[in-house]
Amino acid sequence: MSIAIVAELAAHLFDVSVALVTFIDTHRQWHKAAVGTDRTEIPRERSLCAATIETEGTNVVEDLSESDWFAKNPFVESPPHARFYAGTPLVTPDGYPIGTVSVLGAEPRSAAPALVRQLEHLGDIAMETLLERQYALGDRDELTQTVLDHLPGLFYVLDRDGRLRRWNARFERVSAYDPGELAGRAAEDFFEGADRTRVAEAMSRVFRNGSATVEADFVQRSGSTVPILFTGVRTYLEGAFHLVGMGTDISEQRRQARALREAKEKAEEASRIKSRMLKNLSHEIRTPLTSIIGFARVLKENLSGEDGRAARLVHEAGKRLKGTVDSVLQLSKLETGTQDLNRERLDLGEVPGDVAGRLRPHAESKEQRLRIEVPDAPVEGWWNEGALRRIVENLLENAIKFTPEGGTIDLRVRQDHGTAVLEVEDTGVGIGEEALPHIFDAFKQESEGLTREYEGSGLGLANVKELTELMGGTIEVDSEKGEGTRFTVSLPLDTSSA
């Protein structure tokens, strides 16, 4: 008897429009024979037949509409809009359920015990038919050895004991074994050490769960190894479950991953060398520079005329150079993770006033309006006071530097949806659109070279970004050329668990 006749008999027996002989795999329910539907498969997630093989015996649902779970089945929520279901499992001789013989009716109904027994009898007939036809891989025209030999990977079939029953030409080429040596060979023989254990565990998962994937080094006859990604699925062949799988050579992926890892390590080492060099240079320069600044200050206070002017120039240049060296040293610490950011509970609103007080004379010398706006209620969080002061100081110094005489600088602190916000906005020269993506890069300024209009090392904003991110925050910039710039620093209010 053919499988199609089993489906027709089931439909006639229950007087319904839809009858199926189904197989179930890991992801789907597919139909070996069907009456009353053109569907060839549906997802396993809402499969009535999958629910049947997960229970013992025949499953009868008199009214599918009474269950939300059944209502999502494609045969229920769309034509034929089934309301009745009965299904009996197809069970192999060694006890594995692989599918069902089932019927679907348009009206709710019950099923007499005698009718259920006849459905179970049809299930037995279907299983016997399948066994008689010996659904062996080699008997199927669409999977001839020629097709298998042209597959791009290593094709293989293993029995329940993990022994090789079928393979393709690529498997022979990669393994370098003769066909006579491969037949019946244990799959574990192609692996060594920890890989052998992992492959054995993966094969067990296939027979237990339906599928598995594992990456392992495949040992060739010569003893050389090839990295392979193996994927296997449980399939019913020749009256028993087998593992059918494919292996893909991942040598190139391994090579690329190794190259990326080596490049990353080289970049990290170069960064460490650079940071150490900058740190050493900074210390070597700072010691004599401190003496130069001190002597220049004494000279400018005691000399007049051209000599006094020269002393003032040396003193100012020394302070600028020391500021650059300090910024380089701090950036080095931030990049190498050696910057100590001990945190304490602070009110963000208390920081701007102290910093602005020190910088206000500079702003007033350019006739700029420096306005500070902080809320009455504290804006508290767990932050580092030195880092906060450095952030405010760098942003304010930039605003004063790039804002022309008579301009306005606003410094605002507020709380916004669980975030502490610090804004520094000016009516300065603004930043060009092409320069915005690089504004936080170290040593970068919009105007560079000997003709640049503004002095500076280009390290202030890089330090601000690093310090902000170390405290779990973010910084954004909005600017329009000729109109002004606004920097917005956002910090988490509650970082006590950090």
Side-chain angles (χ1 to χ4, degrees), residues 424-438:
V424 176
E425 185 173 5
D426 62 56
T427 58
V429 296
I431 304 167
E433 187 175 344
E434 67 283 354
L436 277 174
H438 309 288

Side-chain angles (χ1 to χ4, degrees), residues 76-311:
V76 177
E77 65 179 0
S78 58
H81 298 293
R83 291 295 177 265
F84 168 77
Y85 169 83
T88 190
L90 301 176
V91 182
T92 67
D94 48 357
Y96 285 92
I98 61 172
T100 68
V101 175
S102 57
V103 293
L104 294 160
E107 300 295 333
R109 58 178 284 188
S110 60
L115 205 56
V116 171
R117 285 194 297 271
Q118 292 183 55
L119 181 64
E120 292 170 348
H121 182 58
L122 285 177
D124 294 337
I125 293 174
M127 193 69 243
E128 290 173 4
T129 303
L130 291 171
L131 293 174
E132 289 172 359
R133 292 184 59 180
Q134 291 288 302
Y135 260 68
L137 190 61
D139 294 336
R140 302 176 68 174
D141 293 337
E142 68 270 26
L143 289 175
T144 63
Q145 190 64 42
T146 301
V147 173
L148 296 178
D149 288 343
H150 284 81
L151 291 175
L154 282 69
F155 175 85
Y156 50 91
V157 177
L158 306 177
D159 62 20
R160 284 300 299 264
D161 295 325
R163 295 191 175 277
L164 196 60
R165 295 304 178 195
R166 190 159 187 179
W167 58 92
N168 64 352
R170 186 174 292 273
F171 194 104
E172 291 182 11
R173 288 197 298 272
V174 173
S175 69
Y177 283 99
D178 295 329
E181 296 173 301
L182 289 174
R185 194 179 189 89
E188 296 178 15
D189 291 348
F190 297 103
F191 307 94
E192 295 177 341
D195 280 348
R196 175 176 292 191
T197 302
R198 292 192 301 108
V199 168
E201 292 173 350
M203 289 192 296
S204 296
R205 288 199 304 274
V206 170
F207 286 109
R208 184 174 63 251
N209 302 328
S211 65
T213 299
V214 65
E215 182 179 320
D217 289 336
F218 184 84
V219 181
Q220 299 171 299
R221 184 174 187 175
S222 64
S224 301
T225 60
V226 180
I228 302 288
L229 178 65
F230 296 95
T231 299
V233 296
R234 184 182 64 204
T235 304
Y236 192 74
L237 304 170
E238 299 179 330
F241 277 112
H242 287 70
L243 185 157
V244 176
M246 182 73 73
T248 304
D249 187 338
I250 56 172
S251 299
E252 181 60 21
Q253 292 91 320
R254 285 258 188 104
R255 187 196 66 76
Q256 292 176 358
R258 185 166 54 252
L260 286 173
R261 185 169 58 252
E262 291 173 354
K264 180 175 179 289
E265 291 171 353
K266 289 180 180 179
E268 290 173 345
E269 178 61 20
S271 178
R272 286 192 292 269
I273 292 173
K274 180 202 72 173
S275 297
R276 285 198 298 269
M277 180 189 70
L278 289 175
K279 184 176 180 180
N280 292 335
L281 285 176
S282 296
H283 283 300
E284 290 296 324
I285 294 173
R286 287 177 79 188
T287 301
L289 188 58
T290 301
S291 300
I292 292 172
I293 292 172
F295 285 125
R297 184 178 65 252
V298 172
L299 290 174
K300 77 169 186 171
E301 292 174 352
N302 291 279
L303 296 176
S304 58
E306 192 62 30
D307 291 337
R309 177 177 173 276

Side-chain angles (χ1 to χ4, degrees), residues 3 11 71 79 84 99 132 199 204 235 265 287 353 359 374 402 411 421 433 443 452 455 461 469 489 493 495:
I3 296 298
F84 168 77
E132 289 172 359
V199 168
S204 296
T235 304
E265 291 171 353
T287 301
L359 297 177
V374 298
F402 293 106
L411 193 159
V421 179
E433 187 175 344
F443 302 105
R452 66 183 183 182
E455 294 292 336
L461 290 178
E469 292 179 350
V489 175
L493 283 173
T495 59

Side-chain angles (χ1 to χ4, degrees), residues 331 334 439-443 458-467:
L331 187 59
L334 290 171
I439 198 66
F440 296 108
D441 295 347
F443 302 105
L459 290 170
L461 290 178
N463 277 323
V464 167
K465 185 174 186 292
E466 291 282 351
L467 289 169

